[in-house]
Amino acid sequence: MELLCSTTSLSSSFALSSALVVPSSSFPVPGSRRFMVLCSSEKSQKMTVSVTGATGFIGRRLVQRLRADNNSIRVLTRSKSNAEQIFPAKDFPGIVIAEEPDWKNCVQGSTAVVNLAGLPISTRWSPEIKKEIKDSRIRVTSKVVELVNNSPAEARPTVLVSATAVGYYGTSETGVFDENSPSGKDYLSEVCREWEATALKADKDVRVALIRIGVVLGKDGGALAMMIPFFQMFAGGPLGSGQQWFSWIHVDDLVNLIYEALSNPSYKGVINGTAPNPVRLGEMCQQLGSVLSRPSWLPVPDFALKALLGEGATVVLEGQKVLPARAKELGFEFKYKYVKDALKAIMQ
């Protein structure tokens, strides 16, 4: 019988195992009746997880979470030396770090694979960069799926959690999107469609969860790390009109969502990785200014961003209102439902 554990079950370390009635003659007081309850340790099922993109902003936090729960971690990387600096052996004893020729040996025997790899999109888009944005995602995902599918059945991972993005839906100032909404028609929508389709080529016996990730908030990376310095210099403000939707998620909630997808068999198919209360970017900037005790008064005009980022400016000038309908159906508990609370926690 296969044991499937959720994060809730993993948190309990002891379970009532048996109750044994001991005869009264065993005790020094005649006529007494005593019950001895024997408790045994219930060992939580530990996972062996291979992770691509582990050295990135989200990946680092996921590895820390997996390590905290004593799971085994295999980092699939392009640069072993870089990964060893991020995950030194003294802090991550037992961690396995492998470059691509050795990925096969890591994937085989893993409980699950988490696929987070991909070139960042917040940059100036040249034709070469656009090609790399897509190819970096498709190539790594295809490689992971190939390794999973070619693993012997007894050593094949049973779960693949693969990142994708809310860019799947395209952009809109008026539309509202959930997991059942159709895909958009722009470049990022195309990237996400191909990215997801590649992951779904995994063997039919492998449970696949596709996490469509929004803007991830955390102090050590992502969009917020780029915005905070400007606000601290009293030069912060909305980008463009400020009316574009900002579908965000705190990095801790995203890591918890990925973790739950690893261990909970109900998590399969598309799941939006966004908080339940998206905001307009203007409101997000006002809240950030408030938390930092700085004004949000200096908007960055469209033309300046387009001059800096070219076509890549669409990432920040256009957005989408995305709701985590599936996560809510599954009963996932967001720690940070409102952007103000998320920002306060990050800046503490």
Side-chain angles (χ1 to χ4, degrees):
M1 181 177 69
E2 184 180 6
L3 176 63
L4 298 168
C5 297
S6 69
T7 51
T8 302
S9 65
L10 289 173
S11 65
S12 60
S13 57
F14 292 95
L16 182 66
S17 61
S18 63
L20 175 64
V21 179
V22 183
S24 59
S25 59
S26 300
F27 296 97
V29 181
S32 66
R33 291 184 61 84
R34 295 282 295 273
F35 293 88
M36 182 180 294
V37 179
L38 302 178
C39 294
S40 68
S41 173
E42 180 190 71
K43 294 185 178 179
S44 302
Q45 185 185 23
K46 300 303 179 185
M47 299 180 287
T48 299
V49 184
S50 291
V51 185
T52 72
T55 58
F57 171 44
I58 301 165
R60 293 195 304 269
R61 296 293 282 266
L62 176 63
V63 168
Q64 290 167 0
R65 170 68 196 281
L66 288 166
R67 172 65 190 152
D69 284 352
N70 296 317
N71 296 291
S72 298
I73 305 149
R74 300 173 178 181
V75 172
L76 310 184
T77 183
R78 291 179 300 172
S79 172
K80 187 172 183 178
S81 59
N82 180 49
E84 286 174 339
Q85 288 183 340
I86 295 171
F87 306 116
K90 64 181 179 64
D91 297 328
F92 296 87
I95 194 169
V96 176
I97 298 175
E99 292 186 334
E100 195 162 337
D102 297 318
W103 286 12
K104 176 182 176 181
N105 295 330
C106 288
V107 170
Q108 289 187 9
S110 290
T111 310
V113 179
V114 179
N115 177 38
L116 300 172
L119 185 76
I121 63 173
S122 297
T123 184
R124 186 176 182 85
W125 291 358
S126 64
E128 294 77 18
I129 290 294
K130 287 179 70 174
K131 184 175 186 301
E132 182 60 19
I133 286 172
K134 180 190 286 189
D135 290 353
S136 64
R137 287 161 171 79
I138 306 304
R139 186 186 70 81
V140 174
T141 304
S142 181
K143 177 72 173 179
V144 166
V145 168
E146 177 188 356
L147 292 174
V148 168
N149 289 351
N150 290 340
S151 296
E154 66 276 9
R156 182 179 298 140
T158 57
V159 185
L160 170 61
V161 180
S162 196
T164 172
V166 295
Y168 174 92
Y169 302 110
T171 62
S172 174
E173 286 192 7
T174 57
V176 180
F177 304 96
D178 65 17
E179 289 86 351
N180 293 317
S181 300
S183 183
K185 298 179 181 179
D186 58 13
Y187 164 70
L188 289 180
S189 302
E190 175 188 318
V191 171
C192 291
R193 285 195 302 273
E194 293 190 30
W195 197 4
E196 294 182 11
T198 304
L200 289 171
K201 292 178 182 177
D203 186 270
K204 62 180 176 60
D205 293 327
V206 177
R207 176 170 60 83
V208 179
L210 300 171
I211 313 296
R212 287 185 186 150
I213 301 172
V215 182
V216 185
L217 300 184
K219 195 171 186 178
D220 302 324
L224 205 57
M226 293 186 285
M227 297 173 70
I228 288 172
F230 290 99
F231 277 84
Q232 290 176 329
M233 294 186 294
F234 294 87
L239 307 176
S241 69
Q243 291 302 301
Q244 63 270 48
W245 281 102
F246 189 79
S247 293
W248 60 277
I249 186 169
H250 190 289
V251 64
D252 289 351
D253 276 334
L254 178 59
V255 166
N256 288 340
L257 185 67
I258 293 170
Y259 197 99
E260 190 71 11
L262 286 170
S263 55
N264 188 328
S266 298
Y267 283 62
K268 54 187 174 182
V270 175
I271 303 168
N272 286 336
T274 60
N277 296 288
V279 294
R280 303 276 185 180
L281 185 57
E283 180 184 344
M284 154 65 188
C285 290
Q286 287 180 348
Q287 297 285 6
L288 179 58
S290 174
V291 168
L292 292 172
S293 299
R294 295 291 191 273
S296 176
W297 65 278
L298 192 62
V300 181
D302 292 22
F303 71 85
L305 284 166
K306 289 177 180 176
L308 179 65
L309 299 175
E311 189 182 353
T314 58
V315 174
V316 291
L317 291 176
E318 301 176 18
Q320 56 283 107
K321 183 178 183 180
V322 179
L323 301 178
R326 184 71 182 125
K328 292 174 76 173
E329 287 174 6
L330 289 164
F332 180 78
E333 280 293 326
F334 288 89
K335 185 176 181 181
Y336 302 101
K337 297 181 175 68
Y338 298 95
V339 73
K340 185 174 183 179
D341 296 332
L343 293 172
K344 282 182 176 179
I346 290 165
M347 298 312 303
Q348 281 180 349

